[in-house]
């Protein structure tokens, strides 16, 4: 089976309907194990004390928030080039998830910052970039909401997403130029020994897997909703004629 | 068993609470919207079959 | 091509055009800042570059929503799309005309307003240079945003929401250039970055804008 | 050729497809052997006028027409100005013109582009009977010179030798027999 067969709404509905239960179960398993492990069974950091526990919610959500935007970039590109409706609807479905994850990452990050840096907010490159990304998500969602014709809305939001991606990267460099950061680099490179030890790493990876599956579950649910809504409008339009 | 959060209690619980809360909100919204659209579509399909 | 440029300039300069309005708005925004911050000339001098840049950015935004909206409402856009010239070029010409009537007057007015904010003398050159290099980017990015929001419900409001985040890199590089000069640093890299960004948007955004307009025609 | 038909029959859509503003949903568009995809050559043959006049009220009549003449590389600016009796109002701003004068200016734009095929969508809206008759003569003259015009209209234009093409909205039955192109309506959903 080629991946493009998923571009057909009916096939997508059938396959996603079959996959959805498994993905939801995986989400629940990974998230509950990871979160309980992270909250109850991990030691405190020798420098940060108990505040290190915030890592188990902050890092996975932040990581996903960026990658959801990247996923939207790819699906928007697919819509513009190959005009597969499911692709555009998947981007539409992903945006609110991305916005919520970004907001959660910002809030948890601010609370973490209040303990380690002594302030809720710093105009630090990483934080600033996330704030900009949050605004992008809001604009993208607002644009979907303002255009009635579905194909036109898909075109315009896809174009916006592509421009937004280019400028998101530019902003990233710009804020680096503008202010020196205090945010630590991403501590998730593969040579994990150099960054953080196993006691923190393993539960973190578990939560991350859980959050990834959570995103997948939500994405499937929401894309299915969008497809259903499109079918409803199509059926109603046919009725009127 | 229950971790000793000490002076970090507010920020740790706040970060966990707000993150899990936000995630729950988007989950509930998604599931609710799915329910609504599914019901509407089923009703519409049935109506079509009836004709 | 020249015909379009001439027409755009005429339209902007005739009554109801945006040229004078943007400038007046710029004036108001910059004058409001001392009222909010207080008359301390040291503080004002420090925030002068940022204030002027943000003023320029908002003034530029003000006239953007009419860039394609008017042409879309009276049917001009259809005919333009069918003209022998590619739509990308027409968009670029319109954005350039927008810069000539909005951006350029701001560049010229900025040093006068900078006096009221007691900007130190040696910074003037860099402020003007950064504005001159950066305002084209504002017009061209704005053209893409305007093309996306043509005929969209609450398009004007949406335009600000979509375009302002895209202005962030230009604002950062532009204001930083002037700030570096004020702090005695070397402002050259900043100016080069603004210029590079402008050229980049010049090359990129007409394609995005034309694609968006084509989608509106269908 | 005159396009007739009730609202919603697809007159405007057909014209916009032929102009190349909307891609056709299926089928091919070809003009004298030049396909729609061959954009530059195809569009050199046509000129299009929609519901709207594309007139800028702040510009004078002459400026409005001059712009279109320059954009479409036309040499017949002066001649057209006279032909459409616009010379005497050439220096007036377009917003001071009457609706009929504006429409005349809009039609002058079509003539100034000097393309053989005219695609006109409701060109006689807001024209009085006299001007409508003048417009009909104009179209006749264009056709006599070997040109062609496709006009969507509600009223009878009394053109010299027009073929009429009637578009009817598809009946529900005819629609059902068409192959479904919307991917959200095809396939086995339940």
């Amino acid at each position: 089976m080629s991946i493009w067969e998923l571009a057909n709404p009916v096939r997508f509905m059938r396959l996603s309907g079959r996959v959805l239960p498994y993905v939801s179960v995986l989400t629940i398993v990974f998230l509950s194990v990871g979160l309980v492990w992270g909250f109850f069974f991990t030691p405190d950091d020798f420098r940060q004390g108990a505040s290190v526990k915030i890592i188990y919610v902050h890092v996975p959500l932040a990581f996903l928030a960026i990658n959801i935007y990247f996923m939207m970039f790819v699906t928007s590109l697919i819509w513009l080039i190959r005009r597969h409706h499911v692709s555009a609807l998947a981007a539409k479905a992903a945006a609110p998830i991305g916005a919520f994850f970004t907001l959660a990452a910002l809030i948890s990050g601010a609370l973490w910052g209040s303990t380690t840096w002594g302030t809720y907010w710093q105009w630090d490159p990483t934080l600033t970039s996330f704030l900009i990304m949050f605004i992008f998500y809001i604009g993208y969602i607002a644009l979907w909401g303002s255009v009635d014709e579905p194909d036109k809305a898909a075109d315009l939001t896809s174009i916006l997403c592509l421009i937004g991606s280019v400028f998101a990267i530019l902003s990233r460099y710009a804020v680096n130029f503008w202010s020196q950061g205090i945010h630590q680099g991403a501590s998730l490179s593969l040579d994990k020994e150099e960054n953080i030890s196993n006691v923190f790493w393993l539960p973190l990876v578990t939560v991350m897997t859980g959050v990834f599956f959570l995103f997948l579950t939500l994405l499937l649910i929401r894309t299915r909703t969008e497809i259903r809504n499109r079918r409803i409008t199509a059926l109603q339009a046919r009725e009127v004629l | 068993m229950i971790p000793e959060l000490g002076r970090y209690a507010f920020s740790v619980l706040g970060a966990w609470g707000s993150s899990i809360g936000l995630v729950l909100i988007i989950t509930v919204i998604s599931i609710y919207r799915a329910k609504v659209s599914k019901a509407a579509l089923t009703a519409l399909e049935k109506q079509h079959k009836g004709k | 091509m020249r015909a379009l440029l001439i027409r755009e300039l005429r339209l902007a300069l005739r009554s109801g055009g945006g040229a004078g309005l943007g400038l007046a708005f710029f004036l108001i925004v910059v004058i409001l800042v001392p009222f909010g911050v207080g008359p301390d000339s040291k503080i004002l001098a420090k925030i002068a570059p940022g204030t002027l840049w943000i003023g320029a950015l908002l003034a530029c935004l003000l006239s953007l929503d009419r860039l394609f909206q008017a042409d879309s409402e009276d049917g001009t856009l259809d005919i333009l799309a069918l003209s022998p010239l590619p739509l990308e070029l027409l968009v670029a010409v319109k954005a350039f005309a927008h810069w000539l009537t909005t951006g350029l007057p701001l560049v010229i007015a900025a040093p006068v307003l900078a006096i009221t904010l007691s900007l130190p003398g040696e910074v003037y050159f860099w402020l003007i240079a950064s504005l001159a290099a950066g305002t084209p980017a504002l017009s061209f990015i704005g053209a893409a945003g305007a093309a996306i929001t043509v005929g969209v419900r609450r398009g004007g409001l949406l335009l600000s929401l979509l375009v302002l985040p895209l202005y962030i890199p230009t604002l950062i590089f532009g204001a930083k250039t002037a700030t570096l000069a004020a702090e005695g640093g070397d402002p050259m890299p900043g100016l080069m970055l603004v210029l590079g960004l402008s050229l980049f948007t010049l090359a990129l955004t007409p394609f995005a804008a034309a694609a968006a307009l084509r989608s509106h025609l269908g | 050729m005159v396009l007739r038909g009730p609202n919603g029959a697809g007159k405007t859509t057909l014209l916009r497809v032929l102009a190349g503003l909307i891609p056709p949903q299926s089928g091919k568009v070809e003009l004298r052997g030049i396909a729609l995809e061959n954009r530059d050559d195809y569009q050199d043959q046509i000129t299009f006028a929609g519901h709207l006049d594309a007139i800028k009220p702040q510009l004078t009549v002459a400026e409005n027409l001059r712009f279109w003449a320059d954009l479409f590389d036309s040499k017949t600016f002066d001649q057209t100005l006279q032909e459409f009796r616009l010379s005497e109002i050439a220096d007036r701003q377009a917003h001071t013109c009457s609706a009929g004068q504006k429409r005349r200016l809009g039609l002058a734009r079509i003539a100034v582009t000097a393309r053989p095929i005219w695609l006109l969508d409701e060109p006689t809206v807001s024209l009085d009977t006299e001007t409508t008759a003048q417009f009909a003569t104009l179209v006749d003259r264009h056709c006599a010179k070997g040109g062609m015009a496709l006009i969507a209209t509600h009223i009878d234009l009394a053109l010299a030798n027009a073929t009429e093409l009637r578009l009817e909205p598809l009946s529900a039955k005819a629609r059902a027999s068409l192959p479904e192109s919307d991917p959200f309506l095809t396939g086995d959903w339940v």
Side-chain angles (χ1 to χ4, degrees):
Chain A
M1 193 194 91
S2 125
I3 185 164
W4 300 119
E5 284 186 25
L6 284 176
N8 177 294
V10 184
R11 278 204 209 94
F12 180 87
M13 287 303 273
R14 207 171 297 144
L15 192 78
S16 61
R18 237 181 288 149
V19 173
L20 196 52
Y22 299 102
V23 188
S24 338
V25 169
L26 281 173
T27 307
I28 294 168
V29 169
F30 274 98
L31 268 188
S32 41
V33 169
L35 287 177
V36 170
W37 188 355
F39 194 79
F40 294 106
F41 301 104
T42 50
D44 290 350
D45 185 67
F46 68 97
R47 252 180 325 125
Q48 301 189 20
S51 75
V52 75
K53 289 193 189 303
I54 296 176
I55 198 174
Y56 304 112
V57 291
H58 174 73
V59 171
L61 288 170
F63 181 76
L64 256 292
I66 298 172
N67 283 288
I68 291 172
Y69 198 88
F70 182 67
M71 173 235 137
M72 283 162 58
F73 172 80
V74 174
T75 46
S76 295
L77 210 58
I78 293 176
W79 160 254
L80 286 178
I81 295 172
R82 299 194 53 148
R83 306 202 80 74
H84 291 320
H85 289 86
V86 174
S87 186
L89 293 180
K92 182 186 184 184
I97 311 175
F100 268 83
F101 281 15
T102 311
L103 188 61
L106 278 170
I107 294 176
S108 58
L111 287 163
W112 199 0
S114 74
T115 66
T116 49
W117 308 325
T119 165
Y120 284 101
W121 186 259
Q122 269 286 320
W123 286 99
D124 156 273
T126 311
L127 273 69
T128 313
S129 300
F130 262 80
L131 194 60
I132 297 172
M133 194 163 74
F134 184 63
I135 303 171
F136 270 136
Y137 273 126
I138 301 290
Y140 179 88
I141 297 168
L143 185 60
W144 263 111
S146 311
V147 186
D148 294 324
E149 303 89 327
D151 281 5
K152 198 207 261 184
D155 280 344
L156 297 178
T157 51
S158 296
I159 294 167
L160 176 71
C161 183
L162 298 196
I163 307 177
S165 308
V166 172
F167 277 84
I169 296 165
L170 278 175
S171 300
R172 185 67 233 218
Y173 282 105
V175 288
N176 273 329
F177 177 76
W178 164 71
S179 134
Q180 305 307 320
I182 51 171
H183 195 283
Q184 46 275 75
S187 38
L188 287 168
S189 50
L190 285 173
D191 47 339
K192 55 187 190 315
E193 280 81 5
E194 285 186 14
N195 289 304
I196 49 174
S197 60
N198 271 337
V199 273
F200 301 118
W201 170 254
L202 289 175
L204 180 59
V205 168
T206 317
V207 179
M208 242 155 114
T209 319
V211 174
F212 171 73
F213 279 122
L214 172 69
F215 166 62
L216 209 59
T217 313
L218 291 177
L219 179 67
L220 287 179
I221 293 177
R222 296 184 67 91
T223 311
R224 285 166 66 80
T225 306
E226 296 298 342
I227 291 176
R228 282 207 195 91
N229 287 344
R230 276 295 288 276
R231 179 160 169 82
I232 291 173
T233 6
L235 285 173
Q236 283 169 343
R238 194 167 67 176
E239 215 133 283
V240 170
L241 286 164
Chain B
M1 178 68 200
I2 301 294
E4 194 59 51
L5 296 174
R7 65 197 183 91
Y8 299 119
F10 171 70
S11 43
V12 172
L13 292 179
W16 276 65
S18 55
S19 296
I20 295 175
L22 281 167
V23 164
L24 277 181
I25 291 174
I26 182 72
T27 311
V28 169
I29 293 176
S30 303
I31 294 174
Y32 174 74
R33 287 190 56 222
K35 280 229 164 77
V36 170
S37 81
K38 195 170 183 175
L41 184 60
T42 323
L44 205 63
E45 304 271 15
K46 215 178 262 167
Q47 197 184 333
H48 261 261
K49 281 255 173 68
K51 265 189 218 164
Chain C
M1 206 174 124
R2 241 187 57 216
L4 179 63
L5 186 61
I6 292 170
R7 189 185 80 132
E8 288 294 320
L9 296 181
R10 263 194 197 132
L11 280 175
L13 297 175
R14 294 267 161 90
S15 63
L21 222 58
L23 199 58
F25 185 75
F26 181 54
L27 193 80
I28 298 283
V29 169
V30 174
I31 285 176
L32 279 181
V33 169
F35 293 124
V37 178
D40 184 344
S41 61
K42 257 198 210 110
I43 296 176
L44 286 178
K46 197 161 161 43
I47 62 167
T51 306
L52 289 164
W53 257 97
I54 291 177
L57 202 130
L58 293 176
C60 198
L61 195 69
L62 194 66
S63 51
L64 269 175
D65 69 321
R66 295 305 292 168
L67 189 59
F68 298 112
Q69 188 71 39
D71 282 346
S72 158
E73 278 164 9
D74 64 16
T76 306
L77 206 55
D78 288 344
I79 322 291
L80 282 180
L82 296 176
S83 83
L85 296 175
L87 197 53
E88 285 80 4
L89 185 66
L90 296 173
V91 169
V93 170
K94 278 182 82 79
F96 180 65
H98 179 263
W99 178 73
L100 280 181
T101 52
T102 313
L104 197 59
L106 298 184
V107 177
I108 295 165
V112 183
L113 286 171
I115 297 172
T116 67
L117 297 174
S118 30
L119 189 77
E122 66 277 10
V123 188
Y124 277 87
F125 170 76
W126 293 103
L127 178 74
I128 301 166
S130 74
L131 277 171
T135 40
L138 300 183
S139 288
F140 274 80
I141 297 169
I148 288 177
T149 52
V150 178
V152 168
R153 258 180 286 129
R154 286 167 284 126
L157 194 64
L158 201 56
L159 176 69
S160 334
L161 184 61
L162 301 184
V163 164
L164 284 176
L166 301 177
Y167 278 171
I168 291 171
T170 319
L171 172 64
I172 289 177
F173 291 140
K176 187 80 179 179
T177 303
T179 313
L180 276 175
E183 286 164 358
D186 178 17
M188 209 51 201
L191 189 62
M192 286 295 123
L193 284 169
V194 184
L195 205 60
L197 194 64
S198 267
L199 292 175
F200 177 73
T201 54
L202 232 74
L204 178 88
T205 54
F207 292 95
L213 289 179
R214 282 207 189 90
S215 174
H216 279 293
L217 294 173
Chain D
M1 185 181 276
V2 178
L3 275 177
R4 303 289 295 265
N7 286 335
K11 300 187 294 292
T12 299
T13 310
L14 177 62
L15 283 174
R16 290 180 76 86
V17 169
L18 291 178
L21 288 168
I22 313 177
Q25 221 164 47
S26 62
K28 264 176 70 176
V29 179
E30 219 172 76
L31 251 183
R32 292 177 181 161
I34 300 170
L36 178 65
E37 286 72 35
N38 192 353
R39 262 198 120 68
D40 288 347
D41 290 338
Y42 181 91
Q43 282 175 350
D44 276 347
Q45 304 184 66
I46 55 152
T47 185
F48 169 83
H51 296 286
L52 303 157
D53 281 327
I55 291 169
K56 291 291 170 200
Q58 307 99 306
L59 298 183
T60 66
V61 170
E63 281 168 345
N64 264 304
L65 191 63
R66 171 111 251 162
F67 165 64
W68 293 116
D70 287 349
L71 191 68
F72 284 86
D73 268 333
S74 166
K75 310 271 177 298
T76 55
F77 171 70
D78 295 316
Q79 189 195 331
T80 315
L81 210 57
Q82 272 166 14
E83 239 170 78
F84 282 78
R85 296 183 295 115
L86 293 169
S87 308
E88 59 266 39
I89 55 165
D91 291 327
R92 269 173 57 187
Q93 297 213 332
H95 65 87
T96 63
C97 293
S98 68
Q101 286 169 328
K102 275 188 201 158
R103 201 66 219 185
R104 267 209 328 264
L105 174 55
L107 296 173
R109 192 205 81 228
I110 299 161
V112 88
T113 52
R115 302 286 166 85
I117 296 163
W118 294 359
L119 304 173
L120 311 179
D121 194 359
E122 300 289 356
T124 50
V125 169
S126 79
L127 289 188
D128 53 23
T129 33
E130 190 200 351
T131 332
T132 308
Q134 280 167 4
F135 166 73
T137 350
L138 201 96
V139 174
D140 278 337
R141 202 166 353 131
H142 174 68
C143 292
K145 277 190 281 183
M148 194 174 143
L150 185 60
I151 304 165
T153 179
H154 277 298
I155 58 160
D156 191 16
L157 288 173
L159 293 169
N161 35 35
T163 21
E164 190 175 296
L165 180 68
R166 262 199 93 79
L167 294 181
E168 290 291 345
L170 284 177
S171 66
K173 218 167 144 196
R175 186 171 286 273
S177 68
L178 278 176
E180 187 56 69
S181 61
D182 189 335
F184 293 92
L185 290 176
T186 52
D188 181 20
W189 276 77
V190 192

